[in-house]
Amino acid sequence: MPAKLIRRVLLPALLLLVVGWGLGAYCETNDDVAIMQLLRGTSAATPVTDLHLYFHGLGAALSWLYQVAPAVPWYALLLYGLLYAATVGAFTFLDRLLLGRLPGPWIAGLLTLFFLVAWLEHGFWFSYVRVPLLLAGVGVLTAAQRPASRVALALGLLAFGLGWLIRPSAAVLGLLAAAPGAWWLGGRRALPMLGGAAVVAIAGALWLNLTWSPATATFRRLDVRKSNLLDFQLYQPTIGLSPADSLGLAAARHWLLADSTLVNERLFDRAAPLPTPAYFLRTLAPAKLRLALPQLLRDYFPLLLLLAASGWLLAAATGRPRGFWLVQALFAGLVLALAAVLKLPPRLALPLLDIWLLGNLAAVLPVAGRRAPWVLLGALALVAGPYAYKTAHRAAVLGQERQHNQLARQQLGWLTRQRGSAASQLIVSDAFEATGKSESPFAVGPLLPGHYSGTSRPEARYMPVAGWLTLHPSQAAWRRQLTGTRHFPESLRRLASRPGVAWILTPETAAIINRQLARPAGPRVRLVPILPRALPLQGARIQARNARTGAARAYEMRGNTAQ
């Protein structure tokens, strides 16, 4: 096999496998676990084929695959396969830039260091948001690198299209980040790739807006408003709320989003409106930047050093591409804007910095002389040691978090089993969702205490009462199937008389749900914490500790449960 193919195809596969074996893989948030539960049908009436906001078309294929072979981690395999494709694209892009400037073995060494310093986190700290940004950015750059090749153009558009299907906004961000590098590479000859990607994005957006149902459109708007409040703290506090709005805001702050009579667009307009420009610039932006910028320096100092090195190399070069320093200023402004608005989470920060760096190298390496690759190699070697130490520390922290969450799931499973037979049980809970963070994306059914037994569903069914997925249209449909009503409080009242229902809740959530159950006609039923009848010593310790720490406990509905 030619040395180029070894560096471009086999080396990325080997590095991904070695890192996965040595460090493992950890979900950055619980979003991926929640998506897997919907696709499996674990937390819905039937397996969900349309996630509405992401995985357009791909969700149906994944859901079908889970029905055919539920023990296979299809979601992780798809995303890691696409991550491998993006990695191959990045290695191919760099290899072409370095050919003739470094001997082959040294190119392989530089690519390896680049992966370990600037790319490793993508596979190690798993998030579906990383993949579309990388796919789109790398696809645009590799196509612009060979502007006369129709095959390269087709592959670039395919990569962007797949990224857009997974998460449109992330793919568009990748396109914007790659556009300067594509222009420096191909000039006007890059326009077919840039224009084609823009056409795909615009046509896709029009298609979504024309085909979305009213329920989907409402879900999208509420998801944005929820994220502004809970994820990005992008709101301006108000005073003088009514009792209903106070309850709705308390429910939203605890991710209890299912009661549409309380948590709706009107609530966000009244209780958590978007900030005025003055309030944002005076209060919100400085507070977020104080948190995000030190974290950016601490976590991504290798990329910042490499970006600085690319600027230094270009400053010393005889020729330079037009607009280079303006582009650097725009990138810096984009990073600051994302930090001030979105707090620049890792799943956005590193992919964006990677695409920025690749574009810079496309501008620098052709004009900076033969010493430039050696300077980059030296910079990579300089930061490899400190970054390896930081990565090992992060792996240890994430491993501890995974163990803690797995223990918490065992305890939740023990509480659940005290409430009846798992084979016919419905678990109503807000506690399992949080334990998905740092779980392996290759785990099968990681949230539930039951096991998969030759079917696509675990022995226990799980109805979440908290989290973003409670806004998904499938949840209201499931409540209607189970209880005959979509209305959240009334569906809980009706579940109170149903056998085989386990209520596993945190005290804060139980208190808010009790307030919801009391509206509008008074507390017909109420959640009351209970102590299982036959408590083994371990169970007694768990229950006592939960009572002290405010962790999840077993509840039951008491009161008039007549239908």
Side-chain angles (χ1 to χ4, degrees), residues 83-106:
L83 175 62
Y84 168 68
T87 308
V88 169
F91 275 43
T92 301
F93 179 82
L94 288 172
D95 190 72
R96 288 173 180 157
L97 288 176
L98 294 168
L99 277 176
R101 295 181 172 90
L102 278 179
W106 287 98

mmCIF file with all atom_site columns, all heavy atoms in Angstrom, residues 83-106:
data_model
loop_
_atom_site.group_PDB
_atom_site.id
_atom_site.type_symbol
_atom_site.label_atom_id
_atom_site.label_alt_id
_atom_site.label_comp_id
_atom_site.label_asym_id
_atom_site.label_entity_id
_atom_site.label_seq_id
_atom_site.pdbx_PDB_ins_code
_atom_site.Cartn_x
_atom_site.Cartn_y
_atom_site.Cartn_z
_atom_site.occupancy
_atom_site.B_iso_or_equiv
_atom_site.pdbx_formal_charge
_atom_site.auth_seq_id
_atom_site.auth_comp_id
_atom_site.auth_asym_id
_atom_site.auth_atom_id
_atom_site.pdbx_PDB_model_num
ATOM 1   N N   . LEU A 1 83  ? -17.017 10.488 12.172 1.00 0.00 ? 83  LEU A N   1
ATOM 2   C CA  . LEU A 1 83  ? -15.842 11.141 12.742 1.00 0.00 ? 83  LEU A CA  1
ATOM 3   C C   . LEU A 1 83  ? -14.564 10.606 12.094 1.00 0.00 ? 83  LEU A C   1
ATOM 4   O O   . LEU A 1 83  ? -13.626 11.378 11.812 1.00 0.00 ? 83  LEU A O   1
ATOM 5   C CB  . LEU A 1 83  ? -15.802 10.919 14.254 1.00 0.00 ? 83  LEU A CB  1
ATOM 6   C CG  . LEU A 1 83  ? -14.565 11.456 14.980 1.00 0.00 ? 83  LEU A CG  1
ATOM 7   C CD1 . LEU A 1 83  ? -14.461 12.969 14.834 1.00 0.00 ? 83  LEU A CD1 1
ATOM 8   C CD2 . LEU A 1 83  ? -14.588 11.055 16.454 1.00 0.00 ? 83  LEU A CD2 1
ATOM 9   N N   . TYR A 1 84  ? -14.516 9.314  11.851 1.00 0.00 ? 84  TYR A N   1
ATOM 10  C CA  . TYR A 1 84  ? -13.369 8.741  11.150 1.00 0.00 ? 84  TYR A CA  1
ATOM 11  C C   . TYR A 1 84  ? -13.241 9.342  9.752  1.00 0.00 ? 84  TYR A C   1
ATOM 12  O O   . TYR A 1 84  ? -12.126 9.686  9.305  1.00 0.00 ? 84  TYR A O   1
ATOM 13  C CB  . TYR A 1 84  ? -13.510 7.224  11.067 1.00 0.00 ? 84  TYR A CB  1
ATOM 14  C CG  . TYR A 1 84  ? -12.532 6.572  10.116 1.00 0.00 ? 84  TYR A CG  1
ATOM 15  C CD1 . TYR A 1 84  ? -11.166 6.555  10.406 1.00 0.00 ? 84  TYR A CD1 1
ATOM 16  C CD2 . TYR A 1 84  ? -12.971 5.993  8.926  1.00 0.00 ? 84  TYR A CD2 1
ATOM 17  C CE1 . TYR A 1 84  ? -10.261 5.974  9.527  1.00 0.00 ? 84  TYR A CE1 1
ATOM 18  C CE2 . TYR A 1 84  ? -12.077 5.413  8.049  1.00 0.00 ? 84  TYR A CE2 1
ATOM 19  C CZ  . TYR A 1 84  ? -10.723 5.409  8.342  1.00 0.00 ? 84  TYR A CZ  1
ATOM 20  O OH  . TYR A 1 84  ? -9.827  4.840  7.472  1.00 0.00 ? 84  TYR A OH  1
ATOM 21  N N   . ALA A 1 85  ? -14.369 9.507  9.051  1.00 0.00 ? 85  ALA A N   1
ATOM 22  C CA  . ALA A 1 85  ? -14.325 10.106 7.716  1.00 0.00 ? 85  ALA A CA  1
ATOM 23  C C   . ALA A 1 85  ? -13.788 11.536 7.779  1.00 0.00 ? 85  ALA A C   1
ATOM 24  O O   . ALA A 1 85  ? -12.969 11.941 6.933  1.00 0.00 ? 85  ALA A O   1
ATOM 25  C CB  . ALA A 1 85  ? -15.722 10.088 7.095  1.00 0.00 ? 85  ALA A CB  1
ATOM 26  N N   . ALA A 1 86  ? -14.228 12.309 8.788  1.00 0.00 ? 86  ALA A N   1
ATOM 27  C CA  . ALA A 1 86  ? -13.709 13.669 8.937  1.00 0.00 ? 86  ALA A CA  1
ATOM 28  C C   . ALA A 1 86  ? -12.224 13.660 9.273  1.00 0.00 ? 86  ALA A C   1
ATOM 29  O O   . ALA A 1 86  ? -11.466 14.520 8.803  1.00 0.00 ? 86  ALA A O   1
ATOM 30  C CB  . ALA A 1 86  ? -14.501 14.404 10.029 1.00 0.00 ? 86  ALA A CB  1
ATOM 31  N N   . THR A 1 87  ? -11.796 12.687 10.065 1.00 0.00 ? 87  THR A N   1
ATOM 32  C CA  . THR A 1 87  ? -10.379 12.593 10.411 1.00 0.00 ? 87  THR A CA  1
ATOM 33  C C   . THR A 1 87  ? -9.549  12.240 9.190  1.00 0.00 ? 87  THR A C   1
ATOM 34  O O   . THR A 1 87  ? -8.458  12.805 8.974  1.00 0.00 ? 87  THR A O   1
ATOM 35  C CB  . THR A 1 87  ? -10.179 11.541 11.518 1.00 0.00 ? 87  THR A CB  1
ATOM 36  O OG1 . THR A 1 87  ? -11.070 11.809 12.606 1.00 0.00 ? 87  THR A OG1 1
ATOM 37  C CG2 . THR A 1 87  ? -8.758  11.563 12.037 1.00 0.00 ? 87  THR A CG2 1
ATOM 38  N N   . VAL A 1 88  ? -10.031 11.318 8.381  1.00 0.00 ? 88  VAL A N   1
ATOM 39  C CA  . VAL A 1 88  ? -9.344  10.994 7.129  1.00 0.00 ? 88  VAL A CA  1
ATOM 40  C C   . VAL A 1 88  ? -9.245  12.239 6.246  1.00 0.00 ? 88  VAL A C   1
ATOM 41  O O   . VAL A 1 88  ? -8.192  12.520 5.641  1.00 0.00 ? 88  VAL A O   1
ATOM 42  C CB  . VAL A 1 88  ? -10.080 9.861  6.390  1.00 0.00 ? 88  VAL A CB  1
ATOM 43  C CG1 . VAL A 1 88  ? -9.548  9.701  4.962  1.00 0.00 ? 88  VAL A CG1 1
ATOM 44  C CG2 . VAL A 1 88  ? -9.927  8.550  7.144  1.00 0.00 ? 88  VAL A CG2 1
ATOM 45  N N   . GLY A 1 89  ? -10.318 13.007 6.173  1.00 0.00 ? 89  GLY A N   1
ATOM 46  C CA  . GLY A 1 89  ? -10.286 14.230 5.387  1.00 0.00 ? 89  GLY A CA  1
ATOM 47  C C   . GLY A 1 89  ? -9.260  15.225 5.903  1.00 0.00 ? 89  GLY A C   1
ATOM 48  O O   . GLY A 1 89  ? -8.524  15.842 5.116  1.00 0.00 ? 89  GLY A O   1
ATOM 49  N N   . ALA A 1 90  ? -9.189  15.400 7.228  1.00 0.00 ? 90  ALA A N   1
ATOM 50  C CA  . ALA A 1 90  ? -8.214  16.330 7.802  1.00 0.00 ? 90  ALA A CA  1
ATOM 51  C C   . ALA A 1 90  ? -6.789  15.855 7.557  1.00 0.00 ? 90  ALA A C   1
ATOM 52  O O   . ALA A 1 90  ? -5.900  16.652 7.219  1.00 0.00 ? 90  ALA A O   1
ATOM 53  C CB  . ALA A 1 90  ? -8.477  16.489 9.297  1.00 0.00 ? 90  ALA A CB  1
ATOM 54  N N   . PHE A 1 91  ? -6.542  14.544 7.721  1.00 0.00 ? 91  PHE A N   1
ATOM 55  C CA  . PHE A 1 91  ? -5.203  14.016 7.484  1.00 0.00 ? 91  PHE A CA  1
ATOM 56  C C   . PHE A 1 91  ? -4.826  14.150 6.005  1.00 0.00 ? 91  PHE A C   1
ATOM 57  O O   . PHE A 1 91  ? -3.672  14.461 5.676  1.00 0.00 ? 91  PHE A O   1
ATOM 58  C CB  . PHE A 1 91  ? -5.128  12.549 7.920  1.00 0.00 ? 91  PHE A CB  1
ATOM 59  C CG  . PHE A 1 91  ? -4.828  12.364 9.384  1.00 0.00 ? 91  PHE A CG  1
ATOM 60  C CD1 . PHE A 1 91  ? -5.439  13.150 10.342 1.00 0.00 ? 91  PHE A CD1 1
ATOM 61  C CD2 . PHE A 1 91  ? -3.940  11.397 9.806  1.00 0.00 ? 91  PHE A CD2 1
ATOM 62  C CE1 . PHE A 1 91  ? -5.164  12.985 11.689 1.00 0.00 ? 91  PHE A CE1 1
ATOM 63  C CE2 . PHE A 1 91  ? -3.647  11.220 11.153 1.00 0.00 ? 91  PHE A CE2 1
ATOM 64  C CZ  . PHE A 1 91  ? -4.273  12.019 12.098 1.00 0.00 ? 91  PHE A CZ  1
ATOM 65  N N   . THR A 1 92  ? -5.764  13.894 5.123  1.00 0.00 ? 92  THR A N   1
ATOM 66  C CA  . THR A 1 92  ? -5.496  14.027 3.689  1.00 0.00 ? 92  THR A CA  1
ATOM 67  C C   . THR A 1 92  ? -5.173  15.479 3.345  1.00 0.00 ? 92  THR A C   1
ATOM 68  O O   . THR A 1 92  ? -4.246  15.770 2.575  1.00 0.00 ? 92  THR A O   1
ATOM 69  C CB  . THR A 1 92  ? -6.707  13.547 2.882  1.00 0.00 ? 92  THR A CB  1
ATOM 70  O OG1 . THR A 1 92  ? -6.975  12.176 3.199  1.00 0.00 ? 92  THR A OG1 1
ATOM 71  C CG2 . THR A 1 92  ? -6.454  13.674 1.387  1.00 0.00 ? 92  THR A CG2 1
ATOM 72  N N   . PHE A 1 93  ? -5.931  16.385 3.918  1.00 0.00 ? 93  PHE A N   1
ATOM 73  C CA  . PHE A 1 93  ? -5.725  17.812 3.693  1.00 0.00 ? 93  PHE A CA  1
ATOM 74  C C   . PHE A 1 93  ? -4.320  18.231 4.133  1.00 0.00 ? 93  PHE A C   1
ATOM 75  O O   . PHE A 1 93  ? -3.580  18.884 3.387  1.00 0.00 ? 93  PHE A O   1
ATOM 76  C CB  . PHE A 1 93  ? -6.793  18.585 4.466  1.00 0.00 ? 93  PHE A CB  1
ATOM 77  C CG  . PHE A 1 93  ? -6.687  20.074 4.357  1.00 0.00 ? 93  PHE A CG  1
ATOM 78  C CD1 . PHE A 1 93  ? -7.201  20.748 3.259  1.00 0.00 ? 93  PHE A CD1 1
ATOM 79  C CD2 . PHE A 1 93  ? -6.089  20.820 5.361  1.00 0.00 ? 93  PHE A CD2 1
ATOM 80  C CE1 . PHE A 1 93  ? -7.104  22.133 3.156  1.00 0.00 ? 93  PHE A CE1 1
ATOM 81  C CE2 . PHE A 1 93  ? -5.996  22.194 5.279  1.00 0.00 ? 93  PHE A CE2 1
ATOM 82  C CZ  . PHE A 1 93  ? -6.510  22.849 4.173  1.00 0.00 ? 93  PHE A CZ  1
ATOM 83  N N   . LEU A 1 94  ? -3.925  17.848 5.343  1.00 0.00 ? 94  LEU A N   1
ATOM 84  C CA  . LEU A 1 94  ? -2.604  18.209 5.846  1.00 0.00 ? 94  LEU A CA  1
ATOM 85  C C   . LEU A 1 94  ? -1.498  17.498 5.075  1.00 0.00 ? 94  LEU A C   1
ATOM 86  O O   . LEU A 1 94  ? -0.438  18.080 4.801  1.00 0.00 ? 94  LEU A O   1
ATOM 87  C CB  . LEU A 1 94  ? -2.502  17.859 7.332  1.00 0.00 ? 94  LEU A CB  1
ATOM 88  C CG  . LEU A 1 94  ? -3.295  18.763 8.284  1.00 0.00 ? 94  LEU A CG  1
ATOM 89  C CD1 . LEU A 1 94  ? -3.263  18.202 9.700  1.00 0.00 ? 94  LEU A CD1 1
ATOM 90  C CD2 . LEU A 1 94  ? -2.734  20.181 8.264  1.00 0.00 ? 94  LEU A CD2 1
ATOM 91  N N   . ASP A 1 95  ? -1.717  16.242 4.723  1.00 0.00 ? 95  ASP A N   1
ATOM 92  C CA  . ASP A 1 95  ? -0.703  15.485 3.994  1.00 0.00 ? 95  ASP A CA  1
ATOM 93  C C   . ASP A 1 95  ? -0.397  16.145 2.656  1.00 0.00 ? 95  ASP A C   1
ATOM 94  O O   . ASP A 1 95  ? 0.781   16.251 2.254  1.00 0.00 ? 95  ASP A O   1
ATOM 95  C CB  . ASP A 1 95  ? -1.185  14.049 3.793  1.00 0.00 ? 95  ASP A CB  1
ATOM 96  C CG  . ASP A 1 95  ? -0.087  13.136 3.264  1.00 0.00 ? 95  ASP A CG  1
ATOM 97  O OD1 . ASP A 1 95  ? 0.826   12.808 4.041  1.00 0.00 ? 95  ASP A OD1 1
ATOM 98  O OD2 . ASP A 1 95  ? -0.138  12.790 2.071  1.00 0.00 ? 95  ASP A OD2 1
ATOM 99  N N   . ARG A 1 96  ? -1.412  16.615 1.954  1.00 0.00 ? 96  ARG A N   1
ATOM 100 C CA  . ARG A 1 96  ? -1.188  17.296 0.676  1.00 0.00 ? 96  ARG A CA  1
ATOM 101 C C   . ARG A 1 96  ? -0.422  18.601 0.865  1.00 0.00 ? 96  ARG A C   1
ATOM 102 O O   . ARG A 1 96  ? 0.410   18.973 0.032  1.00 0.00 ? 96  ARG A O   1
ATOM 103 C CB  . ARG A 1 96  ? -2.528  17.565 -0.010 1.00 0.00 ? 96  ARG A CB  1
ATOM 104 C CG  . ARG A 1 96  ? -3.198  16.317 -0.571 1.00 0.00 ? 96  ARG A CG  1
ATOM 105 C CD  . ARG A 1 96  ? -4.579  16.642 -1.073 1.00 0.00 ? 96  ARG A CD  1
ATOM 106 N NE  . ARG A 1 96  ? -5.251  15.468 -1.627 1.00 0.00 ? 96  ARG A NE  1
ATOM 107 C CZ  . ARG A 1 96  ? -6.565  15.345 -1.735 1.00 0.00 ? 96  ARG A CZ  1
ATOM 108 N NH1 . ARG A 1 96  ? -7.372  16.338 -1.327 1.00 0.00 ? 96  ARG A NH1 1
ATOM 109 N NH2 . ARG A 1 96  ? -7.086  14.257 -2.240 1.00 0.00 ? 96  ARG A NH2 1
ATOM 110 N N   . LEU A 1 97  ? -0.705  19.309 1.948  1.00 0.00 ? 97  LEU A N   1
ATOM 111 C CA  . LEU A 1 97  ? 0.012   20.552 2.208  1.00 0.00 ? 97  LEU A CA  1
ATOM 112 C C   . LEU A 1 97  ? 1.483   20.305 2.534  1.00 0.00 ? 97  LEU A C   1
ATOM 113 O O   . LEU A 1 97  ? 2.346   21.146 2.240  1.00 0.00 ? 97  LEU A O   1
ATOM 114 C CB  . LEU A 1 97  ? -0.637  21.306 3.368  1.00 0.00 ? 97  LEU A CB  1
ATOM 115 C CG  . LEU A 1 97  ? -1.996  21.962 3.117  1.00 0.00 ? 97  LEU A CG  1
ATOM 116 C CD1 . LEU A 1 97  ? -2.540  22.573 4.405  1.00 0.00 ? 97  LEU A CD1 1
ATOM 117 C CD2 . LEU A 1 97  ? -1.892  23.033 2.033  1.00 0.00 ? 97  LEU A CD2 1
ATOM 118 N N   . LEU A 1 98  ? 1.777   19.153 3.140  1.00 0.00 ? 98  LEU A N   1
ATOM 119 C CA  . LEU A 1 98  ? 3.129   18.874 3.620  1.00 0.00 ? 98  LEU A CA  1
ATOM 120 C C   . LEU A 1 98  ? 3.984   18.113 2.619  1.00 0.00 ? 98  LEU A C   1
ATOM 121 O O   . LEU A 1 98  ? 5.205   18.049 2.783  1.00 0.00 ? 98  LEU A O   1
ATOM 122 C CB  . LEU A 1 98  ? 3.058   18.078 4.927  1.00 0.00 ? 98  LEU A CB  1
ATOM 123 C CG  . LEU A 1 98  ? 2.451   18.824 6.121  1.00 0.00 ? 98  LEU A CG  1
ATOM 124 C CD1 . LEU A 1 98  ? 2.162   17.864 7.266  1.00 0.00 ? 98  LEU A CD1 1
ATOM 125 C CD2 . LEU A 1 98  ? 3.369   19.950 6.580  1.00 0.00 ? 98  LEU A CD2 1
ATOM 126 N N   . LEU A 1 99  ? 3.371   17.524 1.596  1.00 0.00 ? 99  LEU A N   1
ATOM 127 C CA  . LEU A 1 99  ? 4.136   16.755 0.613  1.00 0.00 ? 99  LEU A CA  1
ATOM 128 C C   . LEU A 1 99  ? 5.186   17.647 -0.041 1.00 0.00 ? 99  LEU A C   1
ATOM 129 O O   . LEU A 1 99  ? 4.900   18.765 -0.488 1.00 0.00 ? 99  LEU A O   1
ATOM 130 C CB  . LEU A 1 99  ? 3.206   16.183 -0.453 1.00 0.00 ? 99  LEU A CB  1
ATOM 131 C CG  . LEU A 1 99  ? 2.495   14.869 -0.117 1.00 0.00 ? 99  LEU A CG  1
ATOM 132 C CD1 . LEU A 1 99  ? 1.534   14.483 -1.228 1.00 0.00 ? 99  LEU A CD1 1
ATOM 133 C CD2 . LEU A 1 99  ? 3.507   13.752 0.133  1.00 0.00 ? 99  LEU A CD2 1
ATOM 134 N N   . GLY A 1 100 ? 6.419   17.156 -0.091 1.00 0.00 ? 100 GLY A N   1
ATOM 135 C CA  . GLY A 1 100 ? 7.507   17.922 -0.670 1.00 0.00 ? 100 GLY A CA  1
ATOM 136 C C   . GLY A 1 100 ? 8.155   18.891 0.294  1.00 0.00 ? 100 GLY A C   1
ATOM 137 O O   . GLY A 1 100 ? 9.203   19.482 -0.029 1.00 0.00 ? 100 GLY A O   1
ATOM 138 N N   . ARG A 1 101 ? 7.535   19.078 1.455  1.00 0.00 ? 101 ARG A N   1
ATOM 139 C CA  . ARG A 1 101 ? 8.102   19.990 2.451  1.00 0.00 ? 101 ARG A CA  1
ATOM 140 C C   . ARG A 1 101 ? 8.690   19.241 3.644  1.00 0.00 ? 101 ARG A C   1
ATOM 141 O O   . ARG A 1 101 ? 9.461   19.823 4.409  1.00 0.00 ? 101 ARG A O   1
ATOM 142 C CB  . ARG A 1 101 ? 7.034   20.975 2.933  1.00 0.00 ? 101 ARG A CB  1
ATOM 143 C CG  . ARG A 1 101 ? 6.545   21.920 1.845  1.00 0.00 ? 101 ARG A CG  1
ATOM 144 C CD  . ARG A 1 101 ? 5.501   22.900 2.403  1.00 0.00 ? 101 ARG A CD  1
ATOM 145 N NE  . ARG A 1 101 ? 5.174   23.914 1.404  1.00 0.00 ? 101 ARG A NE  1
ATOM 146 C CZ  . ARG A 1 101 ? 4.204   23.782 0.504  1.00 0.00 ? 101 ARG A CZ  1
ATOM 147 N NH1 . ARG A 1 101 ? 3.483   22.664 0.479  1.00 0.00 ? 101 ARG A NH1 1
ATOM 148 N NH2 . ARG A 1 101 ? 3.972   24.743 -0.369 1.00 0.00 ? 101 ARG A NH2 1
ATOM 149 N N   . LEU A 1 102 ? 8.275   17.983 3.836  1.00 0.00 ? 102 LEU A N   1
ATOM 150 C CA  . LEU A 1 102 ? 8.804   17.134 4.893  1.00 0.00 ? 102 LEU A CA  1
ATOM 151 C C   . LEU A 1 102 ? 8.985   15.727 4.336  1.00 0.00 ? 102 LEU A C   1
ATOM 152 O O   . LEU A 1 102 ? 8.196   15.290 3.475  1.00 0.00 ? 102 LEU A O   1
ATOM 153 C CB  . LEU A 1 102 ? 7.853   17.070 6.085  1.00 0.00 ? 102 LEU A CB  1
ATOM 154 C CG  . LEU A 1 102 ? 7.864   18.185 7.137  1.00 0.00 ? 102 LEU A CG  1
ATOM 155 C CD1 . LEU A 1 102 ? 6.818   17.891 8.211  1.00 0.00 ? 102 LEU A CD1 1
ATOM 156 C CD2 . LEU A 1 102 ? 9.227   18.358 7.764  1.00 0.00 ? 102 LEU A CD2 1
ATOM 157 N N   . PRO A 1 103 ? 9.970   14.976 4.811  1.00 0.00 ? 103 PRO A N   1
ATOM 158 C CA  . PRO A 1 103 ? 10.041  13.549 4.434  1.00 0.00 ? 103 PRO A CA  1
ATOM 159 C C   . PRO A 1 103 ? 8.814   12.797 4.946  1.00 0.00 ? 103 PRO A C   1
ATOM 160 O O   . PRO A 1 103 ? 8.188   13.177 5.942  1.00 0.00 ? 103 PRO A O   1
ATOM 161 C CB  . PRO A 1 103 ? 11.318  13.074 5.136  1.00 0.00 ? 103 PRO A CB  1
ATOM 162 C CG  . PRO A 1 103 ? 12.106  14.310 5.419  1.00 0.00 ? 103 PRO A CG  1
ATOM 163 C CD  . PRO A 1 103 ? 11.103  15.395 5.640  1.00 0.00 ? 103 PRO A CD  1
ATOM 164 N N   . GLY A 1 104 ? 8.476   11.698 4.262  1.00 0.00 ? 104 GLY A N   1
ATOM 165 C CA  . GLY A 1 104 ? 7.275   10.947 4.595  1.00 0.00 ? 104 GLY A CA  1
ATOM 166 C C   . GLY A 1 104 ? 7.157   10.553 6.057  1.00 0.00 ? 104 GLY A C   1
ATOM 167 O O   . GLY A 1 104 ? 6.115   10.766 6.684  1.00 0.00 ? 104 GLY A O   1
ATOM 168 N N   . PRO A 1 105 ? 8.208   9.967  6.664  1.00 0.00 ? 105 PRO A N   1
ATOM 169 C CA  . PRO A 1 105 ? 8.091   9.591  8.083  1.00 0.00 ? 105 PRO A CA  1
ATOM 170 C C   . PRO A 1 105 ? 7.837   10.788 8.992  1.00 0.00 ? 105 PRO A C   1
ATOM 171 O O   . PRO A 1 105 ? 7.120   10.676 10.002 1.00 0.00 ? 105 PRO A O   1
ATOM 172 C CB  . PRO A 1 105 ? 9.440   8.937  8.377  1.00 0.00 ? 105 PRO A CB  1
ATOM 173 C CG  . PRO A 1 105 ? 9.916   8.443  7.052  1.00 0.00 ? 105 PRO A CG  1
ATOM 174 C CD  . PRO A 1 105 ? 9.451   9.455  6.061  1.00 0.00 ? 105 PRO A CD  1
ATOM 175 N N   . TRP A 1 106 ? 8.433   11.926 8.659  1.00 0.00 ? 106 TRP A N   1
ATOM 176 C CA  . TRP A 1 106 ? 8.200   13.113 9.481  1.00 0.00 ? 106 TRP A CA  1
ATOM 177 C C   . TRP A 1 106 ? 6.775   13.627 9.304  1.00 0.00 ? 106 TRP A C   1
ATOM 178 O O   . TRP A 1 106 ? 6.182   14.182 10.246 1.00 0.00 ? 106 TRP A O   1
ATOM 179 C CB  . TRP A 1 106 ? 9.214   14.201 9.122  1.00 0.00 ? 106 TRP A CB  1
ATOM 180 C CG  . TRP A 1 106 ? 10.594  13.893 9.616  1.00 0.00 ? 106 TRP A CG  1
ATOM 181 C CD1 . TRP A 1 106 ? 11.618  13.347 8.903  1.00 0.00 ? 106 TRP A CD1 1
ATOM 182 C CD2 . TRP A 1 106 ? 11.075  14.094 10.940 1.00 0.00 ? 106 TRP A CD2 1
ATOM 183 N NE1 . TRP A 1 106 ? 12.722  13.188 9.697  1.00 0.00 ? 106 TRP A NE1 1
ATOM 184 C CE2 . TRP A 1 106 ? 12.428  13.642 10.958 1.00 0.00 ? 106 TRP A CE2 1
ATOM 185 C CE3 . TRP A 1 106 ? 10.520  14.596 12.106 1.00 0.00 ? 106 TRP A CE3 1
ATOM 186 C CZ2 . TRP A 1 106 ? 13.201  13.692 12.100 1.00 0.00 ? 106 TRP A CZ2 1
ATOM 187 C CZ3 . TRP A 1 106 ? 11.304  14.649 13.250 1.00 0.00 ? 106 TRP A CZ3 1
ATOM 188 C CH2 . TRP A 1 106 ? 12.624  14.205 13.247 1.00 0.00 ? 106 TRP A CH2 1
#
